[in-house]
Amino acid sequence: MVWSDLPIDLLRRISSHLSIVDLVRLSVVCSSWNFTHANYALLGFQCRPSPWLLLSNDVGEASNTLNFRELTIEGEEAVVSFQRCFSSIGNHIEGRRCFGSNDGWLVTLDTMNLQPRLFNPITKAEIWLPSLYEFIMPQISPDGSFRNSCKENFFDITSDDLRDIYFHKFVVSSNDTSGTVVVIYGITKALALACSEDLTWVDGPQLSPYNTEDEEQFEDVCYNKENQTFYAITNFSMVLAFDLNGQNVELICPNGPNPYYRTRNFDCMYYIAFMSGTLLRIERVIDITPNRNHNATTMTIFVFKFEPIVVTSCSSSSHSQWISVNELGEYSIFVGCNQTFSLHHTVATGIKPNCIYFADHWRNMLPGYVDCDVGVFDLYNDRIQYILHPYTRTNWPPSIWFTPSFS
């Protein structure tokens, strides 16, 4: 049998061992392998995950392009090497900011209509979501800016800044028309939900029945496919679970101390993820000491696994706790402004195991104050390697992790 006559089932098995770039090269080997991106998805081709970093465009670069850098390992160091540039996609991204999502898709959002869309840069597929403009119902102040209140204090936001200041993170359950999207939004970082078939967004779970801290707000959300449930964590490590409709809310873990919250020299960001069925909390400690000659940078990262509620035999009392871990096995976790996820290093061969890969943080919602802070934290030896120099690019929009896919 000649190579060009290999059956589709065998080609599908081969594709699972190839990166998406190699899979594209496969399509030009011969006429019988000349598949389009749509055919790859239709035939069930699954390429090896290849983590990329989406960077903001440098001065002079076209606004209708996306620039990615691929993660690789050179020696013992993690580096971003090959540049992947996507152009001729102006209809999809021009004038829109990209937020991170999962499985090869981004969420894009425009300035005027606040119309979010799911977008796959590889296949050019796009799914429209309900407008957020009608949901937030901003009040128009006399000077034409948007006025939103927080605890009886008013914040004036210009229309150009509303998209970038008001919306923090989008998390999706699945990349199809029936998938649910959760957005963290507003001064108080509240939750809202929608899918493409909805007419509008609806409010997500509220903190008011559970929280004891006035400044508590949501920091991250993850989706667990096994039980089709979202999990949200606050800046005091409280965790709530809720279904795809934002209902059946359950308090998984009450709030706890945050030793770095609102101090002069340190900040702490919480992320949440599932790995091999275990709920993990990631604490990222950031040095924000004022009047320094360098940007705010990640100092250390802690990982905790959640132990479920235990009922003792001698009493009816129950308790749950977070247990510190320094071993992720063959996995690594990716955190930043996008959806938090984990990858196995033998599948994604460009990453190191037992590490936390972190991208830019966004500590005060002001675009001019987002610091370039991209690197990898090795849990085994508590070592941080910064992948990007703080001044090699502009600070806005924040860099985000991306795993290209034909899905």
Side-chain angles (χ1 to χ4, degrees):
M1 178 181 292
V2 297
W3 280 92
S4 60
D5 293 333
L6 288 177
I8 292 297
D9 287 345
L10 184 55
L11 290 177
R12 191 183 295 116
R13 291 286 299 273
I14 294 173
S15 73
S16 65
H17 298 278
L18 301 177
S19 70
I20 198 162
V21 176
D22 293 331
L23 195 55
V24 171
R25 292 169 179 160
L26 181 74
S27 68
V28 297
V29 169
C30 59
S31 58
S32 62
W33 290 5
N34 186 20
F35 302 115
T36 64
H37 295 161
N39 286 336
Y40 276 134
L42 184 64
L43 295 172
F45 278 57
Q46 295 292 332
C47 58
R48 188 182 67 231
S50 175
W52 294 359
L53 187 68
L54 175 59
L55 301 178
S56 58
N57 290 345
D58 292 329
V59 176
E61 289 183 331
S63 61
N64 62 348
T65 63
L66 292 177
N67 292 294
F68 298 89
R69 297 292 294 273
E70 187 172 354
L71 276 178
T72 58
I73 300 175
E74 294 183 2
E76 294 296 323
E77 300 296 313
V79 298
V80 284
S81 54
F82 306 106
Q83 183 167 347
R84 313 295 183 188
C85 182
F86 289 77
S87 56
S88 303
I89 53 176
N91 292 337
H92 300 284
I93 67 165
E94 191 165 14
R96 306 179 68 85
R97 177 186 160 192
C98 292
F99 294 79
S101 184
N102 69 338
D103 297 334
W105 290 68
L106 300 168
V107 175
T108 68
L109 185 63
D110 69 309
T111 301
M112 296 303 297
N113 300 317
L114 299 180
Q115 178 81 57
R117 305 174 193 168
L118 288 171
F119 173 57
N120 187 325
I122 307 296
T123 65
K124 310 298 189 298
E126 200 170 47
I127 300 175
W128 288 49
L129 297 167
S131 171
L132 283 157
Y133 188 92
E134 296 295 331
F135 173 73
I136 62 175
M137 298 177 62
Q139 300 176 356
I140 306 298
S141 61
D143 62 357
S145 62
F146 296 89
R147 175 166 294 181
N148 285 269
S149 61
C150 174
K151 298 181 181 178
E152 301 181 354
N153 296 318
F154 286 90
F155 299 84
D156 285 345
I157 305 172
T158 65
S159 58
D160 291 339
D161 292 334
L162 181 64
R163 173 195 62 184
D164 293 332
I165 293 178
Y166 210 72
F167 301 101
H168 307 271
K169 184 176 294 189
F170 292 84
V171 175
V172 303
S173 64
S174 61
N175 300 315
D176 52 46
T177 55
S178 62
T180 299
V181 181
V182 176
V183 60
I184 303 177
Y185 76 98
I187 305 299
T188 57
K189 294 187 179 179
L191 301 179
L193 301 91
C195 69
S196 64
E197 300 171 348
D198 294 334
L199 297 178
T200 186
W201 294 76
V202 297
D203 289 319
Q206 308 295 310
L207 280 174
S208 54
Y210 309 102
N211 70 319
T212 59
E213 299 288 343
D214 291 339
E215 300 298 328
E216 193 159 8
Q217 54 193 8
F218 289 106
E219 289 292 329
D220 195 20
V221 177
C222 74
Y223 179 69
N224 185 10
K225 294 182 180 180
E226 293 182 4
N227 59 4
Q228 299 183 342
T229 300
F230 285 102
Y231 293 78
I233 191 169
T234 72
N235 56 342
F236 282 88
S237 68
M238 177 193 295
V239 178
L240 296 181
F242 53 95
D243 63 21
L244 292 168
N245 298 313
Q247 304 299 318
N248 298 315
V249 182
E250 180 183 358
L251 176 63
I252 301 298
C253 180
N255 64 344
N258 184 337
Y260 301 100
Y261 182 63
R262 300 195 68 177
T263 64
R264 177 176 175 81
N265 298 326
F266 301 102
D267 196 4
C268 183
M269 304 190 72
Y270 285 112
Y271 306 93
I272 189 171
F274 271 89
M275 192 183 73
S276 301
T278 300
L279 181 64
L280 299 180
R281 182 185 83 198
I282 301 98
E283 294 183 10
R284 178 179 177 182
V285 182
I286 303 164
D287 185 355
I288 56 172
T289 304
N291 303 320
R292 301 184 309 160
N293 58 0
H294 55 87
N295 288 11
T297 51
T298 298
M299 292 179 53
T300 188
I301 298 178
F302 302 101
V303 180
F304 301 86
K305 67 177 181 179
F306 183 71
E307 291 290 344
I309 293 176
V310 176
V311 179
T312 62
S313 58
C314 58
S315 69
S316 60
S317 62
S318 61
H319 68 277
S320 58
Q321 56 184 338
W322 293 102
I323 307 298
S324 177
V325 298
N326 57 10
E327 179 59 52
L328 300 176
E330 302 297 306
Y331 287 88
S332 283
I333 299 175
F334 291 74
V335 301
C337 293
N338 56 303
Q339 186 157 319
T340 305
F341 60 93
S342 62
L343 289 175
H344 196 284
H345 89 104
T346 59
V347 176
T349 56
I351 67 172
K352 299 172 61 177
N354 202 40
C355 291
I356 308 293
Y357 284 82
F358 56 89
D360 294 338
H361 57 274
W362 189 17
R363 55 187 167 87
N364 56 6
M365 299 191 304
L366 298 177
Y369 290 88
V370 174
D371 295 315
C372 178
D373 184 20
V374 181
V376 56
F377 178 79
D378 192 324
L379 280 172
Y380 179 75
N381 55 22
D382 294 337
R383 174 177 176 262
I384 285 184
Q385 176 206 340
Y386 298 101
I387 296 177
L388 294 182
H389 190 278
Y391 301 103
T392 56
R393 66 176 191 87
T394 56
N395 287 339
W396 189 261
S399 59
I400 54 179
W401 299 114
F402 177 77
T403 51
S405 172
F406 287 114
S407 64

